[in-house]
Amino acid sequence: MTDPQPSTPSLPDAAATSWPPVAVPGRPADSTAPPADEDLDDASKTVPLPEGAKILDDLRTQIKRYVAMPSEEAVTAVALWVAATHLQRAWQHAPRLAIVAPEKRCGKSRLLDVVTETVHKRLITVNASAAAIFRSIDGDDPPTLLVDEADAMFSTTKAAEKNEEVRGLINAGHQRGRPTLRVSGPEHQVQEFPTFAMAALAGIGDLPDTIMDRAVVIRMRRRAAGEKVASFRTGRDTPALNAIRDRLHAWLQPLYELAMEMEPPMPVEDRAADTWEPLVIIADLAGGNWPALARTACRAMTDYEAGQDEEGGLRTRLLVGIRRAFAAVGDPAVLSTKHLLEALNADKEAPWAEYGANGLTPRGLQLLLKPYGISSANRRFPDGAQAKGFARNQFLDTWARYCPEPKAADTPASSGDGLLPGTAA
């Protein structure tokens, strides 16, 4: 029940300094008491939330309203990616947004619906040709390419071969200055077509490695019984999303030159830094708690994908297995090929059983290690015996480059081992 409104204060005499504040209906009566001196000091220090942070907060709310996201980091990443589409002219790299799920009914298409209504200059396709796509890209003001059912393009060998040109176009468009060349016109003149544009792709299962490596990856999952989201109706719900889109555009367009000059400190390196830099710049422009949220999401999500690659990338997994085989016997200077293969094939969860009835063979091992310039040779062992084997120092540089040992200090506090970022066991 609302407290009764206090009676109107009497007119103060000349010695009084000011009227007391008037009570607001619905608020406790003691809210009319003059603030203490320390409260005045705190109020004077309060900084209003920046406009950019308000817009991103509103976008985050809308995403969570319609979609059961896999983690808070994923919500942060999608909101920043959407905002980044409104400043594509400022970026050196155009990050992809890979919305993937293990099976249908995981919310990937619904998330793409929300993204579609909030990005800059949407260009939606399901099975467009590469020619149609690059002829739709404006180099001065790129659209945002949105591809649903992307798994149909790459799920089989035949489909992948048919759409190889599309995959190449998506890969090339990640970096500015990678045009495609075509001969056109009656005089057969060579013409450049820009490919640079941000793109979101939704599909079941992982997309090709070259696309995933250039993407902010959102791994959707089916809603649990207790997870509730609002239904989405195009006619009813898109106006609110379009309003956020317009607010994003109005906020970010004047910041184009500033965004071009920014080189924010990044928690990751190399291609991951290229992909996430536009999102981190957007967060730094927004202010509030978004700079911290962006870097937490960047670290957690890239670490998780690196873990996925360690488990799924065949050659990377082999390198990790070899390192473990050396460590299991005290990291000797040399290890025989026979002992190494026994250790690798003993891992029943590894894919080596697919290499034959007896698992990975010396020939198969040689072929997998050939791209790294590593091969076996005759080695002498401490007992005087000689056999084919590998020296540990052959792998040191390769391990450091392709599967460095994780450091405890680098482990994000927000994600558990083997879990999606931001989820709990």
Side-chain angles (χ1 to χ4, degrees), residues 116-118 122 237-248:
T116 297
E117 300 299 336
T118 48
R122 65 189 190 186
D237 299 322
T238 55
L241 296 175
N242 292 162
I244 292 178
R245 176 198 63 197
D246 296 342
R247 290 169 62 198
L248 284 169

Side-chain angles (χ1 to χ4, degrees), residues 258-284:
L258 175 60
M260 280 193 65
E261 298 299 324
M262 292 176 67
E263 293 186 22
M266 298 292 297
V268 293
E269 297 177 338
D270 302 325
R271 179 160 285 163
D274 294 339
T275 296
W276 276 85
E277 185 180 67
L279 281 66
V280 172
I281 290 176
I282 291 291
D284 287 351

Side-chain angles (χ1 to χ4, degrees), residues 20-79:
V22 178
V24 177
R27 293 184 183 175
D30 59 4
S31 65
T32 63
D37 290 343
E38 58 268 22
D39 293 334
L40 287 173
D41 291 340
D42 290 341
S44 65
K45 296 176 183 177
T46 300
V47 178
L49 197 63
E51 178 63 16
K54 292 179 183 177
I55 301 172
L56 291 178
D57 285 347
D58 290 345
L59 177 55
R60 168 192 283 274
T61 300
Q62 290 293 324
I63 294 170
K64 295 174 71 173
R65 178 184 180 189
Y66 298 111
V67 187
M69 297 294 288
S71 67
E72 288 298 320
E73 288 90 344
V75 184
T76 296
V78 172

Side-chain angles (χ1 to χ4, degrees), residues 102-401:
E103 55 184 81
K104 60 185 179 181
R105 292 171 50 208
C106 289
K108 57 182 179 57
S109 294
R110 178 63 67 241
L111 178 56
L112 195 63
D113 288 338
V114 176
V115 169
T116 297
E117 300 299 336
T118 48
V119 296
H120 175 62
K121 285 184 64 177
R122 65 189 190 186
L123 177 61
I124 308 172
T125 181
V126 175
N127 58 357
S129 67
I133 294 173
F134 66 67
R135 282 180 167 82
S136 301
I137 295 176
D138 179 357
D140 295 327
D141 186 17
T144 304
L145 179 63
L146 305 167
V147 183
D148 201 1
E149 309 297 338
D151 52 297
M153 302 171 66
F154 309 110
S155 58
T156 66
T157 302
K158 184 176 181 180
E161 290 176 354
K162 178 182 177 182
N163 293 289
E164 176 62 21
E165 191 175 9
V166 174
R167 185 191 65 83
L169 174 65
I170 293 172
N171 290 342
H174 177 258
Q175 184 171 344
R176 190 175 293 281
R178 298 292 187 272
T180 185
L181 303 179
R182 289 294 183 273
V183 175
S184 60
E187 298 181 357
H188 302 287
Q189 295 292 323
V190 175
Q191 184 176 356
E192 289 188 358
F193 291 91
T195 62
F196 182 83
M198 291 178 65
L201 303 95
I204 295 175
D206 282 4
L207 301 171
D209 289 345
T210 53
I211 295 178
M212 297 288 278
D213 193 41
R214 293 166 168 82
V216 174
V217 181
I218 309 298
R219 294 189 176 274
M220 302 297 291
R221 56 190 181 180
R222 190 168 290 183
R223 279 193 294 128
E227 292 180 308
K228 304 294 183 183
V229 294
S231 60
F232 184 84
R233 298 291 180 269
T234 302
R236 179 191 67 195
D237 299 322
T238 55
L241 296 175
N242 292 162
I244 292 178
R245 176 198 63 197
D246 296 342
R247 290 169 62 198
L248 284 169
H249 198 73
W251 163 50
L252 289 168
Q253 284 305 294
L255 303 178
Y256 162 69
E257 292 186 359
L258 175 60
M260 280 193 65
E261 298 299 324
M262 292 176 67
E263 293 186 22
M266 298 292 297
V268 293
E269 297 177 338
D270 302 325
R271 179 160 285 163
D274 294 339
T275 296
W276 276 85
E277 185 180 67
L279 281 66
V280 172
I281 290 176
I282 291 291
D284 287 351
L285 291 172
N289 63 347
W290 281 93
L293 289 173
R295 288 169 173 84
T296 298
C298 175
R299 169 63 76 183
M301 295 175 71
T302 54
D303 280 355
Y304 183 81
E305 291 305 313
Q308 293 295 102
D309 181 67
E310 179 177 316
E311 293 301 315
L314 192 64
R315 286 191 171 89
T316 303
R317 181 157 188 168
L318 176 64
L319 292 173
V320 172
I322 292 173
R323 182 167 61 198
R324 289 171 180 166
F326 271 94
V329 290
D331 285 327
V334 293
L335 196 62
S336 70
T337 301
K338 180 177 181 293
H339 186 103
L340 183 57
L341 287 172
E342 288 175 351
L344 292 170
N345 289 323
D347 183 358
K348 300 304 180 184
E349 296 184 359
W352 316 129
E354 301 172 7
Y355 275 69
N358 298 317
L360 192 61
T361 64
R363 175 64 176 164
L365 182 61
Q366 287 281 88
L367 291 175
L368 287 172
L369 292 176
K370 185 177 180 180
Y372 304 112
I374 298 174
S375 61
S376 64
N378 288 320
R379 306 285 179 183
R380 183 179 296 277
F381 294 86
D383 62 357
Q386 291 190 34
K388 287 283 188 180
F390 295 85
R392 185 174 181 274
N393 61 13
Q394 288 180 273
F395 296 95
L396 296 180
D397 182 70
T398 304
W399 286 337
R401 293 177 185 275

